[in-house]
Amino acid sequence: MINEITIRKLVDCILLNACSVNSSGLYNGKAGMSLALFEAARFLHDEKIEDKAFDLFQECLVRPTNDYSFENGLSGVGYTLIYLIINKFIDADFEEVFKEHCEKIIYDFDSIDKHPDKLLISLKAIYFLSVLKSVHYEDIRVNQIIEKIFQGTELYLSLQFFDWKNMYYINRKADVLKTYETYLKLIDFAEYANFSDYLMNSYAELYRSGRIASSLSTGYYLCNIMKQNNVTQYRDVINSNISYGLKDIHPNLLSLEQKINLTKIIENINTSYGDYRLMGIDFWGENFEKIKSSVRPNHLHYGYQYGLVRYLIYSINKRAILL
């Protein structure tokens, strides 16, 4: 188990580096940092850290920006605000604090179907849009935007899978499959039921023919989706992805966020797949510098998406949702 000394060292590093971060968003900005500090303050029962977390999040709310993205902009800030309210880190009225920003986000995404170049890079905004109902924010445009983004992503992926066997295929297949995995993860998170059967069939056909490698993450999220919707026709694809995906894990080759993401999935998998537990992934036996060195090169070391903020949240709150 992570010890208090390491937690406080992580907190100090986050606070020291927060002033140099210009982004407000969740993945690469101050919103993600403040969320981790709130989690640490609760775990340590430390009001001083809580005050600093609150001050940092206030900076996100007042900082002027035209970036509405989830990774760096207001969608990520909005999601963080909802997370803090729902988990009782702060006592606030969402509409009072964020209604003006929310209107700007919805307005920006409302015509997204007319801007195909923006669809894929906006995919993660669904995280924010899908949790608005948890704070009783009612707007018919929100569900319409979610559907537009999903449908645009489905069209893109369907075209990629249609051309998959073409010897002149030019796109990087690993990136396409990563987008597909994100698409599945978002369907699972948002409990979106109107997903494309054609796309699911296209993926299954390619997988069964041996043209797509197994992926634990893909199998896990596909399994969740099919359970939610009482679909059984992809059971072989799911079981194969999970079984072979587990065997293909090589902890020494994984970056920090990959270790965290896969460990969370492994902990949630049904025990019928065997006693894999953490598959040799060791978080607690590593020193601080070793942990820091496992962050992906050329990425923010203290960010929520890839860095030590993610590690801190996971270490002190296993029940925390990590996007």
Side-chain angles (χ1 to χ4, degrees), residues 254-274:
L254 298 175
S255 61
L256 181 61
E257 102 282 355
Q258 288 175 321
K259 289 182 179 181
I260 294 169
N261 296 347
L262 289 174
T263 301
K264 284 183 73 69
I265 288 174
I266 291 168
E267 290 171 343
N268 290 331
I269 286 179
N270 190 291
T271 54
S272 64
Y273 289 101

Side-chain angles (χ1 to χ4, degrees), residues 43 47 108 182 216 221 247 299 301:
F43 184 83
E47 291 185 5
D108 184 68
T182 301
L216 172 60
Y221 293 116
K247 293 175 182 177
H299 287 86
H301 271 81

Side-chain angles (χ1 to χ4, degrees), residues 237-256:
V237 174
I238 291 167
N239 290 341
S240 179
N241 262 298
I242 292 176
S243 179
Y244 286 106
L246 281 165
K247 293 175 182 177
D248 287 341
I249 293 176
H250 302 285
N252 293 334
L253 302 178
L254 298 175
S255 61
L256 181 61

